Amino acid sequence: AKGCQVVAYDSRESWCHALSRGELPIAEPGLAELLAVHADRIHFTSDAATLARCPLLIVSVDTPTDKEDCGDPSVVARLAEEAVARAAAQTTVVIQSQVPPGFTRGLAARVADQASRRGLALFCQVETLIIGQAVERALRPERLMIGCADPRAPLPAVYLEWLEKFGCPVMRMHYESAEVAKLAVNLFLAASVCTTNTLAELCEAIGADWSEIMPALAADRRIGPHAYLRPGLGLSGGNLERDLTAFQALARCEGTHTAVVEAYRSNSHHRRNWALEVLRREATATDGELAVGVWGLAYKPDTDSTRNSPALALLEAVGPWPMRVYDPMVRLEPGRWPFALQAPSALEACRDTDALVVMTPWAEFASVDVVAVQSLMRGRLILDPFGVLDGERCRSIGLRYRRLGVREAGAAAGNRPVCRTEVSTQSV
């Protein structure tokens, strides 16, 4: 899209053939259209020898993550070393995958002889893609963070020419600084998410409305309009949890403090169970299991990714309650959830259910007729953590509507007295 001729290499021949036909292995808004428009400038190949044609090699393979959110950079290392081995003289090699601090300098040491003999240059570039907004982020980044062996040295002309196509600040720093910058970005995001969720839970308990507080925070220049101020179900997806895990492992190794990150993860797991706890209380009150409708399986809208999906965690926890689920992109894994029926539409997921839970805020859910929802449901409970539906409309037709950051209408504060805090008059 920036006018370059591109060789896209992957050792999996079947992937390359499919991509050449415009068949994508992922769902990402705008990506298929972008590929179709610029197909004449990209060549997909499993022939590693073609890498020698390119003066700039960008290693951007995904870093696998296990169930404990620990990343395995070995696949990145293997591909990077293959790129170095195949590169022509004077080539620039850029690592643009998620890697732990120290990775790039270690790679540079392993390939130092080859790099010196053939005049190769090695850099790492911080990847800050957002699933669901990947095309926009890739084409129009806010800034580009480049890890260098020596940040004071000029960048190779071919690499600088490429970076300047994006029209944003280029920040040069040492390898380790760039690698830690990726962790830093996600730790700050995690702090915002977890602080928001903590305050929203307090609002639910005391009768405040978090949606009334959000604009005041967004107007504060120290926080800003783009902060993560909308409550959610913990830290879903793969990147935040992976980077928190990576930071904890690094900090333990170096003997630095990790308690604040442990608190983020604890808060995330606590808030992820919000819908589950409400459903369990409802089941206890009705002395039986519930039939539950679930809207959304992806961890967030505009993607088919279910990495750390709160919806799948809910299915795992409440099974084998009968469930009807619907997602515009995601299909249930065959045989894994025998108690869950994949519905063909959002409305069909409501049929004969005691409760409906909106686990992914897909835009199409906001246009569903709540009167039709009510007519299909057996019960009246709607759990809408993200506020996709019109809560007042739901309540006006007799549905019990719940969302994050607001106490259920008519619910009592409980038997505990309101806590009072003594405020010091001393100037601070």
Side-chain angles (χ1 to χ4, degrees), residues 2 4-5 51-58 87-94 119-123 125 144 146 154-166 170:
K2 297 295 183 181
C4 298
Q5 293 293 324
L51 297 179
R53 293 163 37 194
C54 305
L56 175 63
L57 295 179
I58 300 176
Q90 309 305 314
T91 294
T92 297
V93 179
V94 179
L120 307 182
L122 179 64
F123 298 89
Q125 183 170 328
L144 297 171
I146 312 301
L155 295 174
V158 66
Y159 190 28
L160 185 60
E161 181 184 358
W162 165 247
L163 296 173
E164 288 177 344
K165 289 179 179 291
F166 294 90
V170 175

Side-chain angles (χ1 to χ4, degrees), residues 22-351:
E23 300 170 7
L24 297 173
I26 60 170
E28 185 65 34
L31 184 57
E33 294 82 357
L34 191 75
L35 178 58
V37 170
H38 303 290
D40 60 329
R41 287 203 294 271
I42 185 166
H43 172 59
F44 295 98
T45 181
S46 58
D47 180 6
T50 59
L51 297 179
R53 293 163 37 194
C54 305
L56 175 63
L57 295 179
I58 300 176
V59 177
S60 58
V61 67
D62 187 34
T63 305
T65 306
D66 62 20
K67 292 182 179 180
E68 282 71 46
D69 294 304
C70 294
D72 178 10
S74 61
V75 64
V76 183
R78 286 194 297 271
L79 186 58
E81 290 175 15
E82 181 178 18
V84 168
R86 298 281 185 173
Q90 309 305 314
T91 294
T92 297
V93 179
V94 179
I95 308 301
Q96 196 173 330
S97 297
Q98 175 69 26
V99 294
F103 175 92
T104 310
R105 196 168 297 279
L107 174 65
R110 293 197 301 275
V111 302
D113 287 344
Q114 297 182 68
S116 177
R117 280 188 283 105
R118 291 187 283 136
L120 307 182
L122 179 64
F123 298 89
C124 65
Q125 183 170 328
V126 180
E127 176 270 307
T128 58
L129 223 53
I130 299 177
I131 292 178
Q133 303 171 31
V135 171
E136 173 66 23
R137 292 281 293 187
L139 295 180
R140 284 171 283 278
E142 303 111 322
R143 77 295 195 215
L144 297 171
M145 295 171 279
I146 312 301
C148 315
D150 180 3
R152 298 166 299 179
L155 295 174
V158 66
Y159 190 28
L160 185 60
E161 181 184 358
W162 165 247
L163 296 173
E164 288 177 344
K165 289 179 179 291
F166 294 90
C168 66
V170 175
M171 301 177 176
R172 290 183 289 175
M173 55 192 78
H174 288 94
Y175 288 146
E176 293 82 0
S177 298
E179 291 160 341
V180 173
K182 170 64 174 175
L183 300 182
V185 167
N186 279 344
L187 259 67
F188 270 81
L189 293 180
S192 183
V193 169
C194 293
T195 301
T196 292
N197 286 338
T198 298
L199 289 164
E201 183 179 22
L202 180 65
C203 289
E204 295 163 29
I206 68 173
D209 186 336
W210 178 250
S211 66
E212 296 173 346
I213 300 168
M214 285 169 52
L217 294 173
D220 191 316
R221 283 179 294 180
R222 298 166 299 174
I223 300 168
H226 301 297
Y228 276 74
L229 297 175
R230 188 171 298 279
L233 299 173
L235 302 170
S236 55
N239 288 341
L240 291 183
E241 289 276 13
R242 177 181 62 192
D243 285 350
L244 295 187
T245 299
F247 174 84
Q248 285 183 292
L250 183 64
R252 282 194 295 267
C253 182
E254 300 296 333
T256 62
H257 197 253
T258 68
V260 67
V261 177
E262 291 164 7
Y264 297 158
R265 299 189 71 181
S266 175
N267 175 268
S268 173
H269 297 154
H270 168 68
R271 283 308 261 172
R272 184 174 297 176
N273 290 333
W274 178 82
L276 173 64
E277 293 306 318
V278 176
L279 290 174
R280 281 177 171 169
R281 289 196 296 270
E282 187 75 7
T284 299
T286 57
D287 196 26
E289 68 179 17
L290 302 178
V292 180
V294 177
W295 284 0
L297 295 170
Y299 86 86
K300 70 175 184 178
D302 297 322
T303 179
D304 59 356
S305 175
T306 57
R307 177 65 179 163
N308 284 336
S309 164
L312 294 190
L314 179 67
L315 264 62
E316 189 79 48
V318 302
W321 288 359
M323 307 186 81
R324 299 174 68 91
V325 303
Y326 170 72
D327 187 282
M329 289 190 182
V330 179
R331 303 291 298 176
L332 286 174
E333 184 180 332
R336 184 177 178 186
W337 318 102
F339 52 86
L341 172 68
Q342 184 109 33
S345 68
L347 279 177
E348 280 300 312
C350 304
R351 189 177 295 278

